[in-house]
């Protein structure tokens, strides 16, 4: 009794089909060696980052002056701006650092500015009016000093 020649051919074809399918899955799902590069990448120099954050600080102060932001929100925004600036300039994740950690990282101007923001951010009773406006202005100036004098 002999077997038909078609059975070995069919078996070989199924094995090759399975191997081809495994190869296709492996090639189509593996990570590529290069990242897609967008058409335009803005330059990331110290000057452009400083301009970006100085404009952000100005917008926070303008928002407070126009009445869109309260004193507490203004101080939170200023603190977030300074901390984000530090991250963009150094890679240090300052967003969640305490004041002691900022001082430990030897960022004295940043720590000084953040210490000045704390009463405006966390005080239980925040006064508004002319004193509050001067306080937000002083905090914005402290944030500007950190950004403008960064070297």
């Amino acid at each position: 009794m002999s077997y038909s020649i078609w059975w070995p051919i069919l078996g070989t074809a199924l094995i090759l089909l399975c191997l081809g399918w495994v190869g296709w899955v492996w090639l189509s799902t593996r990570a590529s060696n290069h990242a897609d590069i967008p058409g335009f990448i803005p330059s990331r120099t110290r000057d452009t980052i400083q301009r970006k954050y100085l404009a952000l600080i100005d917008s926070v102060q303008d928002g407070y002056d126009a009445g869109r932001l309260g004193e507490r929100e203004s101080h939170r925004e200023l603190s977030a701006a300074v901390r984000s600036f530090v991250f963009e300039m150094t890679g240090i994740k300052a967003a969640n650092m305490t004041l002691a950690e900022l001082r430990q990282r030897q960022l004295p101007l940043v720590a000084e500015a953040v210490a000045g923001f704390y009463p405006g951010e966390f005080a239980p009773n925040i006064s508004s009016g002319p004193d509050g406006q001067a306080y937000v202005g002083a905090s914005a100036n402290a944030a500007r000093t950190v950004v403008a004098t960064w070297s």
Side-chain angles (χ1 to χ4, degrees):
M1 188 160 155
S2 68
Y3 291 102
S4 171
I5 190 73
W6 293 110
W7 288 114
I9 292 173
L10 181 63
T12 304
L14 283 174
I15 290 173
L16 289 175
L17 183 66
C18 288
L19 289 174
W21 177 73
V22 168
W24 176 80
V25 168
W26 182 73
L27 287 173
S28 66
T29 59
R30 71 184 183 137
S32 64
N33 291 337
H34 64 286
D36 292 334
I37 299 174
F40 173 73
I41 299 173
S43 62
R44 299 197 31 104
T45 63
R46 181 179 62 134
D47 293 335
T48 57
I49 294 171
Q50 283 176 320
R51 279 195 301 269
K52 171 185 166 183
Y53 282 96
L54 288 171
L56 179 61
I57 292 165
D58 289 341
S59 73
V60 170
Q61 186 169 12
D62 292 343
Y64 177 77
D65 292 341
R68 292 188 306 268
L69 293 174
E71 189 170 341
R72 186 180 308 267
E73 293 82 16
S74 298
H75 282 93
R76 284 183 186 152
E77 293 291 324
L78 290 171
S79 179
V82 168
R83 290 167 182 266
S84 296
F85 173 75
V86 170
F87 175 70
E88 282 200 43
M89 293 300 283
T90 64
I92 296 172
K93 295 181 181 178
N96 298 325
M97 292 178 117
T98 64
L99 189 57
E101 290 171 329
L102 288 172
R103 287 184 176 135
Q104 188 178 37
R105 286 286 191 152
Q106 297 177 355
L107 299 167
L109 279 178
V110 176
E112 215 175 284
V114 169
F117 302 151
Y118 273 12
E121 283 185 272
F122 301 115
N125 296 322
I126 298 177
S127 64
S128 57
D131 293 335
Q133 191 164 4
Y135 186 50
V136 170
S139 296
N141 286 336
R144 281 187 198 94
T145 301
V146 169
V147 172
T149 61
W150 193 271
S151 56

